[in-house]
Amino acid sequence: MSTDLAITIFVAGIAAGTTLLFAAVGEIITERAGVLNLGVEGMMLVGAATGFVINVNVEEPWIGVLGAAAAGGLMGLLHAVLVVGFKSNQVVTGLALVIFAQGLSGFMGESVVGVAPPETFAPVRVPALSSIPAIGRILFRQDALVYLSFLLVAATWWFLFRTRPGLNLRSVGESPETADAAGISVTRTRYAAVSVGGAFAGVGGAYLSLAQAPSWIPNMTAGRGWIAIALVIFATWSPVRAAVGAYLFGCVEALGFRLQAIGVDVPSFFVSMLPYLFTILVLVLISRESTRRRLAAPASLGNAYVR
């Protein structure tokens, strides 16, 4: 593999992984609070549709991103009302939200299927840094949302592991009874975490429809929400490791298209299948209680708290 081809794959992999990274960081925040959100795929879909529709109407992609965050946040709030407020089963509720979001996003985006976006996020070169050989091309000639994702990873890590509110959130995910006894509101913390996680998933969907593949087609996330959930487990609930995993998944996705483009006799469907195969494997492993303990999953993940 030539150097130019490798750099091209990494550049495309960073872009492809950014969609996963936004959703995965949001899911990390949600699961650190002890709530399992299997509705990420649906929240990404609603975010993608909302962002694209707003962009078509106001011709401003940043407003589309804000709208996508709001839409994803509302979906997250709905999930929180059901699983935190009404103590519904978190797995069933998440799956129901995906089905609901598939219909909702299809209805929202029906009028813009096949419409060309008036504005998109174009690559922005970072002065000086973009001139660094190889690294400059890979990391510092991306669009603004990619740079925002870099900041998001650092800010989320700092929040979770270096601030008191982050410690409170993690304590709610580990032992809500102890957190409650210490005066931390378990309900309020979980509501906030699930809503913020939904907002980030919405932005991940908007990145797909406004930057990576500027367009709208029904179900365009194509299972990326499920990959993001598996990525959280792969990253052992760490934003920094989630970034590495997201870009790894993105590079695998980009590799399939590049191999086909240069005439390598490998079915692109086989390469495209690999991330999803890995997702299934991770979800099967995490279903075992012994595996969850070894990976240091939040102790109360998926469990409703009744005071």
Side-chain angles (χ1 to χ4, degrees):
M1 183 183 295
S2 69
T3 302
D4 279 346
L5 177 59
I7 291 176
T8 301
I9 290 173
F10 282 123
V11 170
I14 294 291
T18 297
T19 295
L20 301 174
L21 183 55
F22 276 113
V25 170
E27 183 67 3
I28 285 172
I29 293 173
T30 299
E31 292 193 12
R32 281 286 185 177
V35 178
L36 178 63
N37 178 16
L38 294 185
V40 174
E41 175 83 1
M43 295 170 189
M44 292 179 71
L45 273 174
V46 171
T50 302
F52 191 79
V53 169
I54 291 176
N55 185 37
V56 167
N57 285 278
V58 304
E59 300 185 8
E60 176 49 64
W62 280 111
I63 297 179
V65 170
L66 292 176
L74 287 174
M75 289 288 291
L77 180 61
L78 174 60
H79 185 60
V81 168
L82 294 173
V83 303
V84 179
F86 291 101
K87 309 295 190 297
S88 64
N89 183 281
Q90 296 182 14
V91 173
V92 174
T93 302
L95 296 176
L97 281 180
V98 173
I99 297 171
F100 168 68
Q102 287 174 337
L104 177 62
S105 61
F107 173 75
M108 292 171 58
E110 184 177 8
S111 62
V112 295
V113 174
V115 175
E119 298 287 341
T120 62
F121 286 98
V124 178
R125 294 193 176 201
V126 178
L129 295 178
S130 62
S131 301
I132 300 173
I135 296 298
R137 287 180 58 187
I138 294 171
L139 296 179
F140 302 113
R141 298 184 187 180
Q142 300 282 354
D143 59 75
L145 285 179
V146 172
Y147 302 138
L148 180 62
S149 72
F150 295 163
L151 296 176
L152 176 65
V153 169
T156 302
W157 180 88
W158 179 80
F159 169 77
L160 287 174
F161 302 109
R162 290 294 183 269
T163 69
R164 181 171 293 277
L167 175 63
N168 292 345
L169 184 145
R170 288 187 291 122
S171 68
V172 167
E174 293 294 336
S175 177
E177 297 84 0
T178 304
D180 192 11
I184 301 168
S185 173
V186 175
T187 298
R188 188 160 54 242
T189 299
R190 287 186 167 181
Y191 264 94
V194 178
S195 299
V196 169
F200 287 166
V203 174
Y207 182 80
L208 187 63
S209 64
L210 296 177
Q212 184 182 348
S215 60
W216 166 254
I217 57 173
N219 298 319
M220 71 180 302
T221 51
R224 288 176 174 84
W226 302 108
I227 294 179
I229 294 171
L231 182 58
V232 172
I233 304 164
F234 173 80
T236 61
W237 295 268
S238 166
V240 176
R241 285 190 288 269
V244 175
Y247 298 143
L248 176 62
F249 274 79
C251 288
V252 171
E253 180 180 331
L255 179 64
F257 295 105
R258 296 307 184 279
L259 289 178
Q260 190 177 36
I262 63 175
V264 176
D265 190 20
V266 177
S268 60
F269 293 108
F270 174 77
V271 179
S272 300
M273 174 191 72
L274 295 179
Y276 301 95
L277 182 63
F278 183 73
T279 300
I280 294 172
L281 176 62
V282 169
L283 291 177
V284 169
L285 290 176
I286 196 59
S287 66
R288 300 174 58 189
E289 187 64 27
S290 60
T291 305
R292 289 180 58 178
R293 286 197 298 268
R294 284 198 300 271
L295 292 176
S300 294
L301 179 60
N303 299 327
Y305 174 63
V306 180
R307 191 172 190 178

